[in-house]
Amino acid sequence: MTAARWTGLGNGTAGKIWYRALTTYMTSGTTYPQARTASIKAATDLYGAGSTRCAAVEKAWSGVAVAPTATTCGGGTPPSGSNLLSNPGFESGAVTWTSSTGVITNDTAGTPHSGSYYAWLDGYGSAHTDTLSQTVTVPATAAAPKLSFFLAIDTSESGTTPYDTLKAQVVNGTTTTTLATYSNATPGGYAQRTLDLSAFKGRTVTIKFTGTEDASAATALCGSRVPPAFPGLGCRPLCGGGAGVRASSLPDPT
């Protein structure tokens, strides 16, 4: 008999996955198969269905003879509502995403809804551009692929002229499509934003957020992925008049 071998998760990652499974998906009557399902869902929430961490959770349960359930990390077409991104909640820190320096952070000047990390674009009160992006394949069989997130806008600007903007974009080869533009002209608390990705079915594209700030008053545009699968994000303008475009668990193409 040959023993199976796999790379462990590490105590920190395992603890995050187990805590989310316990607090979100499990009850006092949860069985071992249900615990397997719960922890796979938690790993998918935190790190994405295609992540090595989710795969490690599956292997760990199989290693102790708990059989697979209908919930898996995937490998084929993901089920409706699954998040295709890795590290969607930023809880692994600045990995799997491509971003400007310092965008993914656990700085205590900002307040994530849950967890420790969030993404923070701009907010310097001077001319500046920050970006945050990740490449993903949108399944050709997806019925209605969407990019969904919550957005709150807090600004030191006045009036209706859009000085500071956040663009939600899709990069497909050499073409960049702006799905929506948000700005200081429409400040307010969190509101759900859902953008259609149907035009990109069957393609490998880059989901990109571009925050552009002018040289005067700062604007905070705060975003988070739509629940229930992932946490939201609360945000505050920075001290000293600064603010930012901040995001937690942003995109969810399904």
Side-chain angles (χ1 to χ4, degrees):
M1 179 176 179
T2 302
R5 295 177 180 272
W6 59 85
T7 302
L9 288 168
N11 290 339
T13 299
K16 289 176 182 178
I17 292 171
W18 193 244
Y19 178 78
R20 180 161 181 81
L22 283 171
T23 57
T24 307
Y25 299 112
M26 297 170 69
T27 69
S28 59
T30 295
T31 64
Y32 285 118
Q34 290 169 339
R36 175 181 176 130
T37 293
S39 56
I40 289 172
K41 285 182 177 180
T44 299
D45 290 353
L46 294 171
Y47 305 109
S51 66
T52 56
R53 298 167 185 84
C54 191
V57 170
E58 286 190 312
K59 290 177 181 178
W61 282 111
S62 295
V64 292
V66 176
T69 66
T71 300
T72 69
C73 293
T77 301
S80 175
S82 65
N83 195 319
L84 303 180
L85 293 166
S86 297
N87 189 26
F90 307 129
E91 286 304 300
S92 292
V95 298
T96 70
W97 293 88
T98 299
S99 64
S100 304
T101 302
V103 164
I104 296 177
T105 179
N106 60 352
D107 192 316
T108 56
T111 307
H113 181 273
S114 65
S116 302
Y117 285 82
Y118 54 94
W120 172 352
L121 291 79
D122 295 337
Y124 298 97
S126 60
H128 190 83
T129 297
D130 276 329
T131 61
L132 174 71
S133 64
Q134 186 176 144
T135 299
V136 65
T137 298
V138 182
T141 55
K146 290 179 173 54
L147 170 64
S148 295
F149 54 98
F150 280 123
L151 180 67
I153 301 173
D154 185 15
T155 183
S156 298
E157 301 279 9
S158 60
T160 58
T161 302
Y163 296 111
D164 307 320
T165 62
L166 171 68
K167 293 182 178 180
Q169 301 172 310
V170 177
V171 181
N172 180 28
T174 59
T175 302
T176 298
T177 301
T178 298
L179 302 178
T181 301
Y182 310 100
S183 77
N184 58 277
T186 54
Y190 278 117
Q192 181 175 332
R193 319 285 178 161
T194 300
L195 306 175
D196 186 23
L197 294 178
S198 295
F200 306 99
K201 290 198 292 186
R203 301 180 185 181
T204 298
V205 299
T206 299
I207 302 297
K208 184 177 182 180
F209 292 86
T210 302
T212 305
E213 184 179 13
D214 72 359
S216 58
T219 295
L221 300 100
C222 311
S224 108
R225 155 65 168 83
V226 174
F230 296 97
L233 167 72
C235 71
R236 304 170 181 167
L238 295 179
C239 299
V245 178
R246 311 180 195 173
S248 178
S249 306
L250 270 166
D252 182 23
T254 58

